[in-house]
Amino acid sequence: MADIITVNGNVKFSITLDPSVWIFDDRKFKLEDFFASIGEEKEAERDESLMKIGQQWDRELAHGVAPTKQSEKLFVEKKKIVGDYGMYLEPFLKNAEPAENASTLVCRLENGEELSLPLQEAYKAVLCFAIDGKPIRENGPVHLYFGDGRNIGQPIQGIIGFTVV
């Protein structure tokens, strides 16, 4: 199993991805949130969340916030990484800058197989890079889920590279 993944082919820039460092990336998200939101409109939830943030901001302005060493220590302990995490494939594909005539993304697997999907569908795909807060070692380093969630139970595993054609 390789720890890195290449993106090459009909692209302006061939790039190398290292999923082991994505845990520190702000673009990551919990897969349970992704799976829960498939097919749902989350606008009302977003508005409610913004209202709560605004109310918290008002409270902190009125009463002040002075974290103690104890609360800072608890915050760091609670921030331990747990759960399954993923990132969208889109920003990586855009950084590689596929040619205008590119239409397909080929997933090269460690068993020698190749799986093709339309490039527009690949932009919506999600790469799972951590299970239970740990990098994927077996059949990894990433598992690919389609953006519509149709392969939730059977993600594409053992990916060693992507080729844009």
Side-chain angles (χ1 to χ4, degrees):
M1 178 205 79
D3 290 334
I4 59 169
I5 301 169
T6 58
V7 178
N8 55 33
N10 194 6
V11 294
K12 189 172 183 179
F13 305 104
S14 292
I15 61 173
T16 303
L17 306 176
D18 183 357
S20 66
V21 299
W22 292 353
I23 201 73
F24 304 108
D25 196 308
D26 290 338
R27 297 173 292 183
K28 74 178 180 298
F29 51 85
K30 285 199 169 197
L31 284 182
E32 65 188 40
D33 296 339
F34 169 74
F35 294 140
S37 68
I38 291 177
E40 293 180 11
E41 290 296 321
K42 297 189 86 177
E43 195 64 36
E45 210 175 10
R46 186 176 150 261
D47 289 345
E48 185 178 325
S49 175
L50 289 174
M51 287 291 289
K52 288 181 181 179
I53 290 170
Q55 291 168 350
Q56 179 68 25
W57 177 261
D58 291 342
R59 276 193 298 274
E60 289 178 8
L61 282 176
H63 304 290
V65 177
T68 63
K69 292 288 182 192
Q70 179 71 14
S71 65
E72 288 176 11
K73 184 178 177 182
L74 287 173
F75 177 75
V76 170
E77 287 178 18
K78 286 181 181 178
K79 201 173 177 180
K80 290 181 182 173
I81 307 298
V82 292
D84 301 347
Y85 285 89
M87 288 193 28
Y88 286 104
L89 181 55
E90 179 180 23
F92 304 115
L93 290 176
K94 285 190 174 184
N95 284 340
E97 294 185 23
E100 288 183 26
N101 64 345
S103 62
T104 306
L105 181 73
V106 177
C107 301
R108 296 186 324 274
L109 309 180
E110 57 186 4
N111 65 6
E113 291 182 38
E114 293 184 346
L115 183 126
S116 299
L117 61 146
L119 195 55
Q120 292 307 315
E121 186 176 347
Y123 281 123
K124 297 174 185 148
V126 171
L127 297 175
C128 172
F129 64 89
I131 296 178
D132 294 328
K134 295 178 177 48
I136 300 173
R137 297 289 179 217
E138 189 174 326
N139 296 321
V142 295
H143 296 170
L144 185 138
Y145 291 95
F146 297 120
D148 61 6
R150 69 180 181 267
N151 68 333
I152 287 176
Q154 295 180 308
I156 299 168
Q157 301 179 358
I159 298 170
I160 58 170
F162 297 108
T163 303
V164 176
V165 289

